[in-house]
Structures are given as structure tokens and as C-alpha cells.
Amino acid sequence: MSIPTFRILGLAFTAALTAHAQNSGDKVPGRYIVELKPGASVPAVVAKHAVLPDVVFSDAFRGFAGDIPPGKVGALKLDPSVLSVVEDRVIGAHARPKAGSGGTVTRAAEVLPAGVARIGAIPGVIAQTGSGIGVAVVDTGVDFKHPDLVLGAKSFKAIVSRTKLQLSEGPTVGQDDNGHGTHVGGIIAARHDGYDVIGVAPEATLYAVKVLDSAGSGYDSTVIAGLDWVAKNAATLVPPIKVVNMSLGRPGTVGDNTSYRNAVKKLRDLGITVVVSSGNDQSKEVSAVVPATYPEVIAVASTSAKDGTDDIGWFIGSDTASYFTTDGAFNSTTGIGVTISAPGEDQENIVSGYIQSVGILSTRLGGGTTRMSGTSMSSPHTTGVVALLYQQAGGAISPETVRSKLMTTASKIGSAPFNSPTTSYSFDGVREGVLDALGATGTTLP
């Protein structure tokens, strides 16, 4: 991937943008997702067409996925029991490599991260802590051994091995082997225990739903399998899952995989709020990113949490749109667009003519802390606030009510996010404001 050069005030600034999955959005040759009509039988359709799926979906929708020979695809599409047949696609995590200084390998004294501080989720100020609320982290997994994270009794894994999707469920099968999901989980719910960092909802319970592999890559079908597991188990788990975080995505449109969207719709209909990252391609809007384009999700763009430093006499300030963020004005008619912006990086520094993104400090795979930046980090800040809202509402609040609260209580509505000074940045026409935990929960500062 080429490294873009940004020009600010006539000077050239370069910033590295790394796609986690280089082929994100590509179709997987020969692999399909089949959704059946209500009442149709998966075994009957499978037997009729003599196909061998590697995963069956039962709760998000009725269907299956797997390798299907070209000669059988057309027949499946014509089957009156079949609603849709779509090609599977590659999907990846929405994080950039860790940047900046800071972080530890072993436990250190607790730090209030800049992002958590910026949104006002300050320990002891907000009455809600996320207690009694389950949050599904649909990602690379979560580190079950990290002492700063509290994991639920069940976890799930859907990973493609040798082109076959393999599913498993158990106490620790969702163990992280990449680090991305562990970092996301810490932003949401790192414990307030005097060590490492504190999350937005420090008493929420995380459920590891591993759908991305050790490289941070997966398929639409692995994500759907994870959502299917959530739909099946959300209400019976203790505590129940009320919020889903998906810091992942791929290029795409709202209608390119109707089954994926239907899985998200199912969770929405169950009263579960799905929060997703908008993407790390500043040349796109969320209408061109899946699942951020789905009207049923809360898509979150990235801002800087605090002022950066400089070596040329000026700086990039807090609440500035991150130079890498995907945005897009929210359309109340279609429901497509960015609901809110939130910190996806601590700050942007100017060093020797280069923009340096200093990542959010959060939990590290193997213990301690590390930094990462991206809309992958802005999404879990929002997820944490959503968990606080569910606790405040006694576990019962509609996803659209959640969206309304986030949008109407944001800070600096009409003025932020501020424009990124990079020439690649294009203002989307709406300054939706920055996530505000105090405003969303109605908390008054003492």
C-alpha cells in the first residue's frame, strides 16, 4: 500500500496508513452464504442440492455457508426455499499499528486514559459502572488471563482453517491471539482496581466472540456466525448481552450481503445495540463500509482526545477529526451515516514534518498495556457509554433510544469534530459532536 503525503500550509506531511487485511472486501472464490426463507429446512435444502456447508445459522437467520460448486449455485438461487445466495467476503479489524510511547508489559499503577477522560467517564462521578451488563466483543478474541479484564463464563470462536469455517464454544475458546480484541475490551471495561488502565464501564462483563484470526482477518461468514451465537445466547447468559462491539469492516454497500445485514437486524430486534467502527480510510464515507453502512448500527468516527505537540509553531488540537477516519453525515431518512465521533487516538503530533498518531492506552495481550489508534478505538468508547445507559435503564432500552441519547447529548454539537488540517480530509457537512458520557447519563459534575 502506498503511503499518502498530506500537505498542510504548503508543507508536506506523511502518515502511514496500514490496512490490516490487504484484501479486505475481496470475494472468497467458491464460498457462499445461503439464507433460507422462514420455515424452510436447512437439512432438506442441503440434501436436495448435495452441498456440504461448514456452518449452519439458526438464530440470526436460517441458513448456512460453505464451499459450493459453481454448477450448484444457480440451482440454489432458483430454489423456492432460498431467500438469497451471496458470495462470502474478507473482512478485517479497523486498527492501525500501535504508535507513540507508553504502555507496559507488566502491571503498573492505574492510569485514566485520555480517551476515557475526554468523554467524562470519570470514576466516582458517574453513578453507573456497567454492572450487570454483558458486552460482546466481536473481534480477535479477548485475553482471558489479563487481570484487568472480567470475562463471561462462555465464549465463542469462528475461524477459517484450511478454507473451512470451524466453530467452537467454551469457557476460553475466545482467547485472543492478535491483541486487537484485548485492546478494545480494555477501553470498554478495564477494571477500576488500581492497576493498568480503567475502562468506560469498568464493571461490565465482556464476552469474547472471536471471529477474526491471529492476523486480524476473517470472513463475512465468521462474523455472521458470531452474531448468530450472540442471538442464541444473549438472553440466557449471566449477565445478559445488551451491547455488541464490532471494530471491524470492509469496503462494501448496504445491499451487497443482505444476510449479514439481517443478522444485525436480528440483534436490533432483540433489543441489543450494535456499535461499529466507521473505518480507517479517509477517502471513503460510511456508506461504502460494511457493517458501518447498516442503518441498524451505531457507526462511530474518530477524533483526537487531547492537544498534540508540534515543531513548527502550531499544533493539532483535541476533538479534531483523525486524519485517517472514515466519516459521513447521518441521514435521518436512510439511517446511514456517523452517529457520533469519539476518541480513536490520544493526540496527533507533528514531528519533523510528519503527523504521528499517538494511540489510545489500553490492555495488552499477555498483560500490561499498549497503544493503538483507529476507529477500532473510537467504537469501544461508545460501547462503554451504551453499557452505562443500559444499566441506568435497568437493562431495557431500545437501540434507537440509545442512538438518540448519544446524538442529542454530545459535546460541541455544531462545532466539532474540527477539520483535520490534512488536504486528504473532506468535511462531510455535519459536526455531530463528540461522545459525552456525562451528558448521555444526565450526570451533573459536583
Side-chain angles (χ1 to χ4, degrees):
M1 173 176 282
S2 62
I3 299 176
T5 297
F6 302 125
R7 291 196 172 272
I8 308 175
L9 299 180
L11 301 175
F13 289 85
T14 304
L17 290 173
T18 303
H20 206 101
Q22 290 184 345
N23 299 316
S24 183
D26 285 357
K27 296 175 181 178
V28 183
R31 185 174 176 83
Y32 295 85
I33 299 167
V34 180
E35 182 175 356
L36 305 185
K37 293 178 180 178
S41 165
V42 171
V45 172
V46 166
K48 176 181 178 180
H49 295 274
V51 293
L52 297 173
D54 53 27
V55 58
V56 172
F57 308 116
S58 60
D59 289 79
F61 58 81
R62 192 184 302 271
F64 57 89
D67 293 335
I68 299 176
K72 297 184 178 183
V73 174
L76 273 167
K77 289 181 177 179
L78 294 174
D79 190 318
S81 296
V82 174
L83 183 64
S84 65
V85 180
V86 296
E87 292 166 295
D88 209 351
R89 295 174 187 258
V90 176
I91 199 163
H94 274 163
R96 304 176 59 255
K98 67 180 181 180
S101 59
T104 62
V105 176
T106 57
R107 303 205 84 186
E110 186 175 86
V111 173
L112 180 66
V116 178
R118 169 61 191 87
I119 67 170
I122 303 169
V125 174
I126 295 178
Q128 293 75 32
T129 59
S131 177
I133 303 301
V135 179
V137 180
V138 180
D139 211 290
T140 63
V142 181
D143 189 356
F144 283 79
K145 296 180 180 179
H146 200 296
D148 217 22
L149 301 175
V150 176
L151 277 297
K154 283 188 177 182
S155 68
F156 176 80
K157 179 170 70 173
I159 293 295
V160 176
S161 177
R162 296 180 181 178
T163 73
K164 295 297 182 182
L165 198 159
Q166 299 178 353
L167 309 183
S168 54
E169 179 187 89
T172 60
V173 298
Q175 172 63 36
D176 195 358
D177 55 5
N178 171 276
H180 183 267
T182 297
H183 193 273
V184 165
I187 295 172
I188 298 168
R191 296 195 301 152
H192 185 22
D193 59 357
Y195 295 96
D196 295 329
V197 291
I198 183 170
V200 177
E203 293 187 7
T205 298
L206 302 175
Y207 289 95
V209 182
K210 182 174 174 59
V211 299
L212 304 179
D213 61 20
S214 60
S217 183
Y219 292 168
D220 282 1
S221 58
T222 63
V223 177
I224 293 172
L227 300 181
D228 191 64
W229 183 85
V230 172
K232 181 178 181 179
N233 292 276
T236 58
L237 291 169
V238 181
I241 294 173
K242 297 296 184 180
V243 196
V244 170
N245 187 90
M246 293 202 290
S247 291
L248 48 76
R250 63 164 173 81
T253 61
V254 69
D256 70 17
N257 187 336
T258 55
S259 295
Y260 193 163
R261 184 181 174 188
N262 284 342
V264 173
K265 283 182 178 179
K266 178 64 175 183
L267 297 186
R268 187 273 314 272
D269 292 344
L270 291 173
I272 297 170
T273 297
V274 180
V275 184
V276 306
S277 50
S278 66
N280 295 341
D281 186 341
Q282 78 281 8
S283 70
K284 287 185 170 61
E285 292 199 348
V286 294
S287 57
V289 181
V290 170
T293 186
Y294 296 155
E296 295 78 21
V297 307
I298 290 175
V300 187
S302 175
T303 55
S304 53
K306 61 183 183 179
D307 293 347
T309 61
D310 74 282
D311 58 7
I312 60 172
W314 63 278
F315 63 91
I316 298 174
S318 63
D319 300 333
T320 297
S322 300
Y323 73 82
F324 51 76
T325 192
T326 300
D327 60 11
F330 183 78
N331 185 315
S332 59
T333 300
T334 65
I336 297 173
V338 169
T339 291
I340 195 73
S341 285
E345 56 184 350
D346 267 22
Q347 63 199 72
E348 289 183 357
N349 295 335
I350 301 171
V351 181
S352 300
Y354 291 85
I355 294 179
Q356 177 193 71
S357 175
V358 178
I360 296 290
L361 188 69
S362 186
T363 42
R364 172 187 178 275
L365 175 62
T369 60
T370 191
R371 291 186 182 275
M372 292 185 188
S373 59
T375 58
S376 273
M377 286 63 250
S378 53
S379 178
H381 280 95
T382 307
T383 293
V385 174
V386 175
L388 302 181
L389 290 175
Y390 270 92
Q391 182 191 1
Q392 186 179 54
I397 185 172
S398 75
E400 285 306 313
T401 299
V402 168
R403 186 196 306 278
S404 177
K405 279 183 173 286
L406 296 179
M407 294 181 78
T408 58
T409 64
S411 66
K412 298 183 180 179
I413 296 174
S415 62
F418 305 121
N419 288 357
S420 170
T422 59
T423 56
S424 64
Y425 177 75
S426 177
F427 176 47
D428 63 13
V430 175
R431 303 198 191 277
E432 67 277 0
V434 178
L435 179 69
D436 187 347
L438 295 169
T441 57
T443 301
T444 302
L445 286 172

